[in-house]
Amino acid sequence: MPHPPSRSHDRVFLFLQGPHGPFFPALGRMLRATGARVWRVGFNAGDQAFWFDKASYIPFQDKPENWPATLSSLIAEKAVTDIVLYGDTRPIHARAVEIARSCGVTVHVFEEGYLRPWWVTYERDGSNGNSMLMSLDIQQMRQAMALSDRKAPPPPSHWGDMRHHIFYGALYHWFVMALNSRYRNFQPHRELPVSQEFRLYLKRLFLMPFHRLQRSLATARVRWGGYPYHLVLLQLGHDSSVQAHSSFSGMCEFLELVIEGFAQGAPAHHRLVVKEHPLENHREPLRRRAREIARKHGIGDRVHYVPGGKLARLLDEASSAVTVNSTAGQQVLWRGIPLRIFGRSVYDKPDFVSQQPIAAFFADPRHPDAEAYRCYRQFLLETSQVPGGFYSRRGRRQLLRRAVDMLLDTNDPYQSVLNTNEARTTQLKVVE
């Protein structure tokens, strides 16, 4: 892993695509204030609209197959030392990571928080299934924490604002849909046309009051039902965590596996509650498919569907939970609830994630090792989890207070703790 220059005046940051909204422009301004130079490559009108410093904006209007050559030329021409991006699996970012590594350029990856909703994830070289966390075991983390004098930052005092997230998503896709004539070669990293993405975001925004009432009623029915229940935590089927880090092409395949396993293994008086993702835009007919699969397996009256909303109320009394690799699994483990996952995830550690076959899991789910998970969580809080959020103004302010210094640090967040542990271990041996 390359180490960036120690002085900010020697740093040249090249931003690629970021989260919808003003976070990347604000981060760029703060990096300039340190003396670093900052550039931004934009791939569509949405990228351009949210980058307010036009002098540092570089439009990429060529065909996608010419992107690697263009990026290599930019790195050489601008003397780029660092690349900043949001998510590392979309095609333009995956190629950028490969090229940056070959050129000795540091890659900074932002992602939604592994400990959502109060944190954002900051890593280097890769996130989720490409994260350094995948190769670290609990014993390594435990040893590092034993000698660490760091303190975990306090979380924000409020939840992230979903309305801002949806609003900026709709606005971004409107720019791409209406003003993209300069970017005729642009290809979105998702399958749906941009116009359909825009309509889905807009529909979600306007229907929020109706959806709130709908999920409140569905949640109340489950909580007042008086029966033991197991949670299925759905994700966005098109999201990179599913497409790049699991064997599923969407959530309908996952539902087939889980409902069949529940029918085979769960006690007859238990129920299955399918919890929709808060940003689900119904590209897949999930509610209908859940009903059809349940009826096929003879448990139509034992499967319930909750459309989005917050997870805490349902988790409090759940007997277990299953997911592909959702970050919501962290909330499950924090409560000591048994968890089974089916994709690559940074928290897939045998210490606290069950490896049981799905039917056996529903029959008698194995509980997590609470001490091991607390150690893991503390390690994340002291390394890659940054308080704040991308979308609300207060969330961005809190995030920026720490993010700039983390980008300028010569070590990545995990190395900072692991290297300190190694150094102190060496010192102790010398003293002895």
Side-chain angles (χ1 to χ4, degrees):
M1 182 182 296
H3 288 281
S6 56
R7 296 193 315 153
S8 58
H9 287 76
D10 298 326
R11 308 282 285 275
V12 180
F13 288 86
L14 182 66
F15 281 65
L16 303 184
Q17 289 191 300
H20 302 147
F23 171 66
F24 262 22
L27 181 60
R29 284 195 299 270
M30 290 193 72
L31 284 169
R32 282 197 199 92
T34 72
R37 285 171 289 163
V38 176
W39 298 91
R40 167 72 187 270
V41 177
F43 299 84
N44 57 51
D47 294 340
Q48 184 172 344
F50 282 112
W51 190 259
F52 309 125
D53 180 55
K54 304 307 178 187
S56 62
Y57 181 78
I58 304 169
F60 178 77
Q61 299 164 325
D62 209 340
K63 294 180 179 179
E65 55 265 31
N66 295 329
W67 165 238
T70 300
L71 178 59
S72 298
S73 297
L74 278 174
I75 289 173
E77 176 190 334
K78 305 293 187 185
V80 172
T81 60
D82 302 78
I83 285 180
V84 186
L85 46 84
Y86 171 70
D88 62 336
T89 58
R90 63 185 69 179
I92 56 174
H93 286 175
R95 292 294 289 124
V97 171
E98 294 174 6
I99 292 165
R101 287 173 179 164
S102 68
C103 296
V105 171
T106 302
V107 178
H108 306 269
V109 183
F110 283 94
E111 186 55 274
E112 303 293 342
Y114 293 150
L115 301 177
R116 290 181 219 179
W118 291 320
W119 288 273
V120 158
T121 297
Y122 166 73
E123 296 178 289
R124 296 195 184 167
D125 272 357
S127 63
N128 293 310
N130 298 323
S131 168
M132 184 179 176
L133 287 169
M134 300 297 295
S135 61
L136 292 176
D137 60 39
I138 299 301
Q139 186 57 29
Q140 289 173 287
M141 298 179 189
R142 188 177 283 117
Q143 291 172 351
M145 298 301 299
L147 294 174
S148 173
D149 57 3
R150 292 188 174 199
K151 292 184 178 180
S157 58
H158 58 88
W159 291 69
D161 194 335
M162 187 64 68
R163 292 170 299 174
H164 287 87
H165 192 161
I166 296 172
F167 169 77
Y168 282 125
L171 186 59
Y172 178 90
H173 285 92
W174 181 86
F175 282 121
V176 177
M177 183 180 66
L179 304 173
N180 221 44
S181 59
R182 292 181 61 195
Y183 301 88
R184 297 187 182 279
N185 293 309
F186 170 66
Q187 293 182 4
H189 62 283
R190 292 173 176 166
E191 295 180 0
L192 284 186
V194 173
S195 58
Q196 192 170 343
E197 286 267 11
F198 169 72
R199 287 196 295 271
L200 289 171
Y201 270 105
L202 201 62
K203 179 180 177 182
R204 189 76 185 175
L205 190 63
F206 282 112
L207 290 179
M208 282 185 78
F210 171 74
H211 288 156
R212 188 179 298 115
L213 175 62
Q214 191 179 40
R215 66 175 169 260
S216 295
L217 293 173
T219 301
R221 281 195 293 270
V222 171
R223 295 183 68 203
W224 296 342
Y227 40 72
Y229 63 85
H230 305 257
L231 278 176
V232 183
L233 306 179
L234 295 183
Q235 298 166 240
L236 299 177
H238 60 269
D239 194 76
S240 62
S241 58
V242 175
Q243 296 298 318
H245 301 301
S246 84
S247 60
F248 301 104
S249 63
M251 287 293 98
C252 287
E253 287 182 35
F254 176 59
L255 281 173
E256 182 77 51
L257 172 74
V258 171
I259 294 175
E260 180 181 6
F262 181 82
Q264 293 173 352
H269 62 292
H270 285 210
R271 304 289 180 95
L272 190 68
V273 177
V274 179
K275 166 68 170 56
E276 184 180 273
H277 189 278
L279 289 174
E280 178 58 53
N281 49 27
H282 306 113
R283 300 179 186 200
E284 298 180 86
L286 297 176
R287 185 196 294 267
R288 176 166 58 82
R289 284 297 296 139
R291 286 199 300 263
E292 291 172 352
I293 298 167
R295 284 198 296 266
K296 182 176 73 173
H297 292 286
I299 55 171
D301 59 339
R302 295 171 58 200
V303 176
H304 307 264
Y305 193 92
V306 177
K310 295 178 181 177
L311 181 59
R313 292 178 182 175
L314 287 171
L315 265 183
D316 288 340
E317 299 182 60
S319 299
S320 77
V322 296
T323 186
V324 176
N325 52 13
S326 171
T327 55
Q330 302 262 15
Q331 296 185 50
V332 178
L333 294 169
W334 178 244
R335 288 167 168 79
I337 297 170
L339 176 68
R340 180 72 166 87
I341 69 171
F342 294 87
R344 285 168 53 81
S345 170
V346 294
Y347 59 80
D348 185 12
K349 309 295 181 186
D351 308 75
F352 40 75
V353 173
S354 173
Q355 308 295 313
Q356 298 166 273
I358 184 63
F361 176 80
F362 281 126
D364 185 19
R366 182 178 71 83
H367 282 75
D369 181 332
E371 187 279 328
Y373 180 69
R374 284 195 297 269
C375 174
Y376 170 84
R377 183 182 175 90
Q378 188 68 17
F379 183 80
L380 261 62
L381 288 171
E382 294 188 19
T383 53
S384 62
Q385 300 306 287
V386 193
F390 296 125
Y391 305 106
S392 69
R393 186 173 298 174
R394 271 195 287 180
R396 288 194 301 274
R397 282 201 301 262
Q398 185 167 34
L399 176 55
L400 287 166
R401 288 189 186 107
R402 293 177 180 268
V404 174
D405 288 339
M406 295 180 80
L407 266 70
L408 294 174
D409 197 328
T410 54
N411 287 317
D412 87 346
Y414 303 125
Q415 285 178 320
S416 295
V417 172
L418 295 170
N419 290 351
T420 299
N421 176 55
E422 291 176 7
R424 292 189 176 182
T425 301
T426 302
Q427 288 173 357
L428 289 172
K429 288 180 179 178
V430 170
V431 171
E432 291 172 356

